[in-house]
Amino acid sequence: MSIPTKFIVAVVCFDHRIGPEVEFVYPPPEEHREDESWQDIKDILPLLALPSRHEAASDKTSSTCFFFHIPSKDQSVAVQSWKGVAYYDVIHPHAVHGLDDDTLAKFSRGAIQKSVVVVSKTPYQAYVKAKLEAMANQFFAQVPSFGDVGLVVELHDALSSMDFEALSWPQLHVGLPLPALVRATDVHLAGLLRLLLAEGRIVFYSSSPEVVSSSVLAFLSLLPGGAGDFHATPSRPH
């Protein structure tokens, strides 16, 4: 089975006047006008890409990187769903030079909250996360000239040209907390996998969006065929 290689990258920010919004998207919006799948996800994407300040604070740092999932609205057919990775960080507005009054009004609570997001239908989100983290560290380090989206476009081009079928299993699942998952579930791991295959309900919980979403993906990677495609309600880490 061929691996989907269509990627959309975006920058999502929290505007304190109107809430979460997509600030930048690539490929540009005009290329998505006839794309029904993009029309389905563009409104919910800002809500999934930004954790609450409480969730972000649980990671003991201003930044966090986590996975989320946007299943197809049409559950009657086997449609591959969109999957996302978001790298979130907080920057003090006064650390950024040249912000006009309108921009400062967006961040009136003393924090610029942004996420760089990659959405795609490839099941190998751990590999995407590794590439996103490397780029996002540079993106958020651009202070005081913050906001160069050229890095975001470069990430899109690099991912789109990647031959995922040539990568090994360890490369595709790089960074997933498999040892920690095995230790935490211990003798119950096999039973949990059987429960999932029988369409049972399993809830993962953590106050950290990065920990809980990585654990879910690690668990799914143990299934035959890896994480693959799975159906659920539109979800963010809990």
Side-chain angles (χ1 to χ4, degrees):
M1 182 182 68
S2 62
I3 299 173
T5 55
K6 178 180 179 179
F7 292 88
I8 298 174
V9 294
V11 178
V12 175
C13 76
F14 189 87
D15 186 328
H16 290 137
R17 299 168 299 185
I18 62 174
E21 65 172 356
V22 176
E23 187 175 74
F24 171 81
V25 61
Y26 187 85
E30 55 267 23
E31 296 188 22
H32 299 295
R33 286 175 182 164
E34 305 302 323
D35 188 345
E36 292 184 3
S37 57
W38 166 248
Q39 302 304 320
D40 287 343
I41 70 173
K42 68 176 184 178
D43 293 329
I44 196 173
L45 180 61
L47 302 176
L48 298 176
L50 293 172
S52 70
R53 294 294 294 273
H54 171 72
E55 290 171 332
S58 68
D59 284 319
K60 310 301 182 185
T61 177
S62 67
S63 64
T64 187
C65 192
F66 57 90
F67 305 99
F68 59 90
H69 172 225
I70 311 173
S72 169
K73 290 182 178 180
D74 186 358
Q75 297 294 314
S76 62
V77 294
V79 177
Q80 288 178 315
S81 59
W82 287 98
K83 303 164 184 67
V85 190
Y87 186 103
Y88 166 86
D89 207 345
V90 179
I91 296 173
H92 197 286
H94 296 298
V96 183
H97 294 174
L99 295 181
D100 56 32
D101 291 341
D102 183 63
T103 303
L104 285 171
K106 294 173 62 174
F107 310 118
S108 58
R109 297 181 186 175
I112 299 175
Q113 302 175 62
K114 286 182 185 281
S115 283
V116 183
V117 188
V118 179
V119 289
S120 69
K121 294 187 177 182
T122 176
Y124 302 114
Q125 293 298 296
Y127 183 85
V128 175
K129 178 176 180 280
K131 295 298 183 183
L132 171 61
E133 285 181 311
M135 184 283 297
N137 285 327
Q138 299 178 54
F139 180 82
F140 284 104
Q142 292 179 113
V143 176
S145 57
F146 179 65
D148 179 9
V149 294
L151 292 169
V152 180
V153 175
E154 289 177 10
L155 174 64
H156 171 273
D157 294 343
L159 289 171
S160 298
S161 62
M162 182 62 60
D163 182 4
F164 282 83
E165 295 181 358
L167 298 176
S168 65
W169 193 96
Q171 288 175 305
L172 292 172
H173 297 87
V174 61
L176 291 181
L178 288 167
L181 175 68
V182 172
R183 287 194 298 269
T185 54
D186 198 19
V187 297
H188 304 292
L189 179 57
L192 289 171
L193 288 169
R194 286 195 295 269
L195 178 61
L196 183 63
L197 291 172
E199 299 186 2
R201 294 180 179 271
I202 302 172
V203 177
F204 285 72
Y205 175 81
S206 172
S207 59
S208 163
E210 181 167 7
V211 170
V212 70
S213 62
S214 296
S215 298
V216 169
L217 202 60
F219 182 68
L220 293 173
S221 73
L222 298 175
L223 294 173
D229 197 59
F230 53 95
H231 296 281
T233 54
S235 60
R236 62 178 292 169
H238 293 292

